[in-house]
Amino acid sequence: MKFRTEIEPHRAGFKISHSTPVLLLGSCFSDNIGTRLMHDGFDVLANPFGALYNPFSIANAIERALNGAYYTRADLTAGPRGWHCLDFSTAFSGDDADSLLEKINSTLRLLSDFIQRKPVVILTFGTAWYFTYTPEANRPIGNCHKFPGTDFARKRLAVDEISVRWHALSQRILDLGCSLIYTVSPIRHLADGLHGNNVSKATLMLAVENLTENTGGEYFPAYEAIIDDLRDYRFYAADMKHPSETAADYVYSLFSQAYFPPETLSEALACRKQFLRSQHRQINP
């Protein structure tokens, strides 16, 4: 007798070894998987601009890096902590505009250089909802930086908007020799309401389906692994939104079984044991 709908093994279109760089961009779920990859000895760059939740903000980071479209003072916004780059996380703010610009642009160069190494690119779309800063109402932002809520308008991307924005960009990534994996974050955005969250996730699913069918890349079912397979609150953190460590471990095990050849699985386990030993603190009598 079965008491859960176990997810079917994912049929990966390629394999990942320790010689393969891995780039992860998107929601904070990318950090969860990226951290586990690093502990297992992989060459990883995960969310260098912090978590980015909507597909347009993720696209903006990649496009600016590939195009060398560096930021200037005109791209910064004055706010609570001096200067802010609303495209990225609150880590990209500070009192000194020149220092902030150097931090942003050096991170763009880091991202560009990493993509040139032909990594596996894992994109995790978190939500189709986004905010625009009222004075720049046509530009989706990545983070509100704790500005007053009245400074922003909230909107939702449509399937076609995401598909059109990503079609050429995903093709460009593939043409550079990268491999491409899409995921949809299982993290629930309850600020959108349960219905709003479900509409958002459905929008992302349809957009990704369109992209994988018409451009390339493949979809890894991280969302289904938690929402449909585990589907129990014991697999969530205390906030009832984020997957627990156990749930993230489960998704990572599905990912590694799908994408790592046997010799890489063995090497990853050895690297993880070495990492855990390095974290052990001896108790002195």
Side-chain angles (χ1 to χ4, degrees), residues 67-105:
N67 296 336
Y70 298 118
Y71 282 74
T72 67
R73 191 175 290 239
D75 297 308
L76 303 180
T77 303
R81 292 180 301 282
W83 295 97
H84 299 255
C85 181
L86 299 180
D87 287 341
F88 308 125
S89 78
T90 54
F92 292 88
S93 62
D95 292 333
D96 184 74
D98 292 334
S99 297
L100 176 57
L101 288 170
E102 174 55 32
K103 180 178 181 179
I104 296 168
N105 291 330

Side-chain angles (χ1 to χ4, degrees), residues 26 28 55 67 69 83 109 112 237 254:
C28 47
N67 296 336
W83 295 97
R109 287 189 288 271
S112 176
L254 294 176

Side-chain angles (χ1 to χ4, degrees), residues 148-257:
T150 53
D151 289 350
F152 301 96
R154 179 173 171 271
K155 302 179 180 180
R156 192 182 74 236
L157 293 168
V159 173
D160 288 347
E161 289 180 293
I162 300 171
S163 300
V164 169
R165 177 70 184 272
W166 270 95
H167 179 81
L169 179 56
S170 59
Q171 189 62 63
R172 183 177 180 184
I173 293 169
L174 292 167
D175 288 346
L176 286 171
C178 304
S179 300
L180 185 56
I181 301 171
Y182 295 96
T183 66
V184 172
S185 172
I187 296 170
R188 301 191 302 165
H189 291 255
L190 296 183
D192 301 324
L194 288 173
H195 177 69
N197 176 71
N198 290 338
V199 170
S200 167
K201 299 296 186 184
T203 300
L204 299 176
M205 291 282 188
L206 288 169
V208 168
E209 185 76 4
N210 186 310
L211 289 167
T212 55
E213 286 183 351
N214 295 294
T215 307
E218 59 187 63
Y219 174 73
F220 176 74
Y223 179 86
E224 291 83 353
I226 291 179
I227 301 300
D228 296 314
D229 185 348
L230 301 184
R231 61 183 304 164
D232 191 298
Y233 279 114
R234 67 185 174 179
F235 295 110
Y236 281 84
D239 64 2
M240 297 293 113
K241 297 185 294 185
H242 291 77
S244 67
E245 288 296 304
T246 300
D249 285 341
Y250 177 62
V251 174
Y252 182 67
S253 71
L254 294 176
F255 180 87
S256 59
Q257 289 164 22

Side-chain angles (χ1 to χ4, degrees), residues 24 30 56 69-70 94 106-107 138 157 206 223:
L24 300 100
S30 295
F56 273 26
Y70 298 118
S106 63
T107 306
N138 292 324
L157 293 168
L206 288 169
Y223 179 86

Side-chain angles (χ1 to χ4, degrees), residues 35 38-41 269-282:
T35 297
M38 285 187 276
H39 292 173
D40 282 3
L269 180 59
C271 290
R272 191 183 316 166
K273 289 180 178 178
Q274 182 178 358
F275 169 78
L276 292 173
R277 285 195 297 268
S278 73
Q279 298 302 297
H280 178 72
R281 291 186 178 183
Q282 184 175 351

